[in-house]
Amino acid sequence: LAVRVAHEVAGHFADGQLFADLHAGAGSPVGPGRVLERFLRALGVPGPQVPEDLDERAEVYRDLVANRKLLVVLDDAAGESQVLPLLPGTPSAAVLITSRHRLSGLAGAGHVEVSVLEAETSLALLGRIAGTSRVQAEPSAASAVAGHCGHLPLALRVAGARLAERPHWDIQQLADRLADETRRLDELAHGDLAVRASISLTYEGASEQARWLLRRLAMLDAPVFAGWVAEPLLGQPAADAEDALDQLVSARLVETTGVGTGVHSQYRLHDLVRVYGRERLAAEEPPEEQDAALERALGAMLCLAIEANRLSTFGDQVQISSDASRWPLAGRLTARLLADPLAWFERERVAVVSSVRQAARAGLTDACWSLVSVTAFLFKARAYFDDSREIHEIALQAATRAGHLRGQAGILSSRGSLLTAQQEYALARADLAAAAQLFHDSDDDHGLARVDADIAFLDQLTGRLEEAAQRGERALAVLRRTGDTKHAAYVLQNLAAVRLQRGELGPATDYLSEALQLVQAAGDGRTEAVVLRRVGEAYLQARQPDRALETFERALAKVRDVKDPIGEAHLLQGLGVAKTRLGEFGDADAALRRALELATALGERVAAARALLGLGDLALTRGDRGQAVVLAGQAADAFGKLGARPDELAALALLSDASSAPAGGLRSALQDAPEPG
């Protein structure tokens, strides 16, 4: 590129051009003294008059080029110290420098970052060498070749040259050969052109620590990685690891992605650099050192995930009892990385999925299932259900192969919770029942209690009130004993829901009072919002819509503060019902329609169906029986598909009222709730 540019602008430099290859094919940098000797001779200095001293040569050189319109091209510079003596130091001259390193120490220089080619340009280059018609005849195969070349110009030149030399090949043959990663760099060699040699030149010029880090970065499957991973991979202090990573970035062996800055910076390896790094890893490091480095990296990811769980308002205080290795990063770095736990997860999500896959393949079963269990809440909070299903399946298979009962139980429990969030209640119940048996077989009372709590929620939702009460009380006793206040509060509000469905307002209020005390003492705003929503429902049943409205508004502020849109949808529905009871029909309609809109967008079918029920109740209260029939019918159908029998009965009752009641003086099904016990 630099030579092409030099030819384009040569006419602007009437006094001539100078060119120097600063590696000269020798594999080691050419000293500036030797280059200055050549330049001085080219500028007319007789050999015997060329000074021996470098500084003197530089002085003569600058005197000779002063005020000349001269273009100097310095190719493949190793560093600033190599090129500084070669700079003319006059504004009439221009210098073009290429380097494998970022030469940030050259004052006043303009820097041009040269990336790989775009896909279309890659095919054009391949066609220019191998034949445009040939590339056009096999577009898919040509794209595969360009992809295996990583759109690197040198690799594309080699691939094109090999095809040009073999006109009897079709392009698919080369694509198939390049698909084998273990042979890819062997295939990308032709005559004096070789990708491996080009990468090797840069690699050998790096420090020992930087080479060490590159090999281990190449070991990771994640397409992008965060800077913190250098520390556990090297097993050395953070500052040393950061220096090694910076050196690789400067040498262009590692690229920044342009996403995030500081501790949040993201990096990647070019595909061919990754292949080269894995070659060097296999050749230079024993398997036990490779395994130890991978285990440390996974241990650091696990520690960060555990802390993100603890810090996040969406966390579930999951307790991981496994033999998975931990590698805690420095407290200050961890605090900066996790200042916003959910933002950290958004950056690391792809790396988490890759880590789970890699742990499973490496036989690190504890690391695999532990990482899935502790990040499940993050995938659920951000609705990454496809990723979550994949890693749960990977972890379950790994734990089953290893005969690890605790791991199987943890993954089945986690997947059951995920399926519940997706409102796949039958599948969720099957997973939770299997997890309960495994926790029982493992003598894990706390794990069993948490699963019982989840099944009790399904029982309550589907109308199995006696089973819900029994399971809930059994779980509550264990959770109280183990000090798991967050899950105890969830169970208490669920038991309150059972009592409300039975019309037993007094006991329900007692449960909710204890639940509020627990969450407020723990400072858990998100769980407090869940409990407050149930308190608001109790006020509605007690025919105190003004107090219900106040409670829903308090809870709504909390869920908006923690950015919980599903909670917001449920609370807007409750708020709409309260405003209906208060006769504030316009505000009620707005709240219920917003709840329906939000729930539909999120795929939250229970909240959407309840919003439809609320809108039907509002229509009937206003005297619009036709609209009430339509909405109640839609709600009943939705609840029926979900298997939410109590809600379905409420919708059918409203449908009956709307179908048979005369106009005026109507009472909604929700207003006909059982009297307080």
Side-chain angles (χ1 to χ4, degrees):
L1 177 63
V3 170
R4 172 66 179 267
V5 171
H7 278 297
E8 293 285 340
V9 302
H12 297 281
F13 299 93
D15 294 321
Q17 300 86 40
L18 295 171
F19 176 88
D21 182 349
L22 299 184
H23 262 90
S28 58
V30 178
R34 287 179 55 195
V35 177
L36 282 171
E37 180 185 10
R38 283 187 44 234
F39 280 2
L40 290 176
R41 289 176 181 269
L43 291 167
V45 178
Q49 295 181 24
V50 174
E52 290 293 326
D53 181 72
L54 174 62
D55 290 338
E56 291 180 5
R57 288 183 180 183
E59 185 178 351
V60 173
Y61 167 64
R62 291 191 176 105
D63 286 342
L64 287 172
V65 301
N67 301 318
R68 288 194 186 188
K69 285 186 172 296
L70 195 70
L71 177 62
V72 181
V73 178
L74 305 175
D75 187 36
D76 210 354
E80 290 93 338
S81 61
Q82 187 186 25
V83 300
L84 282 171
L86 308 178
L87 301 180
T90 177
S92 60
V95 185
L96 279 172
I97 307 170
T98 69
S99 178
R100 300 163 192 268
H101 306 272
R102 184 178 285 111
L103 304 180
S104 54
L106 298 180
H111 295 266
V112 178
E113 304 287 340
V114 181
S115 184
V116 296
L117 301 181
E118 299 289 341
E120 185 177 344
T121 312
S122 295
L123 293 177
L125 176 58
L126 196 62
R128 184 178 298 179
I129 302 169
T132 301
S133 59
R134 197 172 174 188
V135 167
Q136 290 175 345
E138 294 184 75
S140 296
S143 294
V145 167
H148 291 318
C149 290
H151 305 285
L152 190 71
L154 174 60
L156 290 162
R157 287 176 60 199
V158 173
R162 293 198 66 191
L163 289 170
E165 190 178 57
R166 296 165 177 82
H168 56 286
W169 275 18
D170 58 30
I171 298 179
Q172 188 60 52
Q173 283 179 268
L174 181 58
D176 292 341
R177 294 169 73 102
L178 290 173
D180 183 354
E181 186 179 285
T182 63
R183 289 184 45 82
R184 190 172 301 163
L185 294 182
D186 294 326
E187 298 291 341
L188 292 175
H190 180 79
D192 292 335
L193 297 176
V195 173
R196 181 185 284 111
S198 178
I199 299 173
S200 179
L201 189 63
T202 309
Y203 174 78
E204 295 299 336
S207 70
E208 182 180 4
Q209 274 207 330
R211 295 197 302 270
W212 194 7
L213 179 58
L214 179 71
R215 297 193 297 267
R216 294 183 175 185
L217 287 171
M219 175 172 57
L220 301 178
D221 289 342
V224 298
F225 56 89
W228 61 259
V229 79
E231 180 183 341
L233 284 177
L234 284 178
Q236 295 185 3
D240 294 341
E242 187 176 286
D243 289 344
L245 180 60
D246 284 345
Q247 187 180 150
L248 292 175
V249 171
S250 179
R252 292 296 192 276
L253 290 170
V254 170
E255 306 169 357
T256 58
T257 64
V259 177
T261 58
V263 297
H264 302 306
S265 297
Q266 298 277 301
Y267 304 86
R268 63 174 166 241
L269 295 179
H270 187 279
D271 289 347
L272 297 179
V273 173
R274 186 187 302 277
V275 171
Y276 178 84
R278 288 179 173 175
E279 286 185 355
R280 302 318 312 154
L281 181 73
E284 298 180 38
E285 294 196 33
E288 56 271 20
E289 290 187 11
Q290 300 178 36
D291 294 343
L294 177 59
E295 198 164 357
R296 289 195 301 271
L298 293 172
M301 178 69 84
L302 179 59
C303 286
L304 286 170
I306 291 171
E307 184 66 4
N309 190 321
R310 187 184 71 81
L311 294 171
S312 174
T313 54
F314 287 84
D316 63 359
Q317 298 178 352
V318 65
Q319 297 177 15
I320 299 297
S321 301
S322 76
D323 295 328
S325 294
R326 311 300 209 262
W327 184 273
L329 301 174
R332 184 177 179 184
L333 174 59
T334 298
R336 293 181 66 192
L337 288 169
L338 299 179
D340 183 340
L342 290 181
W344 171 82
F345 172 70
E346 289 289 351
R347 289 188 295 269
E348 298 280 7
R349 176 177 59 87
V350 174
V352 169
V353 174
S354 294
S355 295
V356 170
R357 291 197 201 104
Q358 193 159 8
R361 281 201 306 274
L364 299 172
T365 305
D366 280 296
C368 178
W369 73 261
S370 298
L371 191 55
V372 173
S373 293
V374 83
T375 58
F377 83 97
L378 292 164
F379 285 94
K380 185 165 64 175
R382 282 294 186 254
Y384 288 117
F385 294 128
D386 289 345
D387 283 344
S388 191
R389 277 192 295 269
E390 178 188 353
I391 63 174
H392 276 83
E393 186 60 31
I394 290 169
L396 183 58
Q397 290 178 6
T400 302
R401 283 195 303 269
H404 199 306
L405 295 185
R406 177 71 178 83
Q408 293 175 64
I411 292 303
L412 285 166
S413 171
S414 176
R415 191 169 70 179
S417 177
L418 173 73
L419 289 166
T420 299
Q422 294 179 270
Q423 291 141 18
E424 299 286 352
Y425 299 134
L427 294 175
R429 186 180 290 276
D431 271 357
L432 292 170
Q437 185 61 53
L438 288 166
F439 279 126
H440 178 271
D441 295 344
S442 304
D443 296 322
D444 187 340
D445 289 344
H446 182 259
L448 179 57
R450 290 188 55 179
V451 172
D452 269 343
D454 288 341
I455 298 176
F457 169 75
L458 293 178
D459 288 337
Q460 178 268 320
L461 191 70
T462 54
R464 304 178 186 183
L465 300 185
E466 189 59 37
E467 293 96 325
Q470 291 176 0
R471 287 185 193 276
E473 293 289 358
R474 188 169 65 224
L476 183 60
V478 177
L479 294 170
R480 281 171 170 161
R481 188 179 74 242
T482 57
D484 190 345
T485 57
K486 179 168 186 172
H487 285 90
Y490 268 116
V491 173
L492 285 163
Q493 65 85 28
N494 195 54
L495 286 168
V498 172
R499 295 289 192 171
L500 289 173
Q501 283 181 269
R502 288 173 166 175
E504 300 169 357
L505 187 58
T509 302
D510 292 340
Y511 283 130
L512 291 171
S513 177
E514 183 182 352
L516 272 179
Q517 289 176 10
L518 290 176
V519 294
Q520 287 172 349
D524 185 348
R526 182 171 180 269
T527 308
E528 184 180 354
V530 174
V531 177
L532 285 172
R533 175 161 67 92
R534 198 69 74 192
V535 172
E537 292 170 359
Y539 280 134
L540 285 176
Q541 187 161 319
R543 304 186 188 281
Q544 299 180 52
D546 52 341
R547 298 190 70 179
L549 179 61
E550 178 188 352
T551 304
F552 287 136
E553 287 176 338
R554 280 174 57 201
L556 191 60
K558 290 183 180 296
V559 296
R560 284 173 172 165
D561 186 52
V562 299
K563 297 178 176 61
D564 177 7
I566 292 176
E568 182 175 353
H570 281 287
L571 286 163
L572 283 168
Q573 181 269 335
L575 188 144
V577 172
K579 284 184 176 292
T580 298
R581 304 284 178 84
L582 291 168
E584 300 175 13
F585 298 149
D587 289 346
D589 184 76
L592 289 164
R593 291 190 183 282
R594 176 57 184 151
L596 179 60
E597 177 187 0
L598 194 56
T600 302
L602 295 166
E604 178 62 27
R605 291 177 290 162
V606 170
R610 286 177 178 167
L612 286 170
L613 183 60
L615 286 166
D617 176 48
L618 174 61
L620 187 55
T621 305
R622 283 174 154 176
D624 188 346
R625 286 191 297 164
Q627 182 69 359
V629 167
V630 171
L631 291 165
Q634 291 175 346
D637 183 57
F639 286 130
K641 290 177 180 177
L642 286 166
R645 185 60 177 162
D647 287 306
E648 183 184 11
L649 290 174
L652 290 172
L654 178 61
L655 181 61
S656 176
D657 280 356
S659 301
S660 60
L666 298 170
R667 296 177 65 211
S668 75
L670 291 181
Q671 288 172 310
D672 287 334
E675 291 295 326

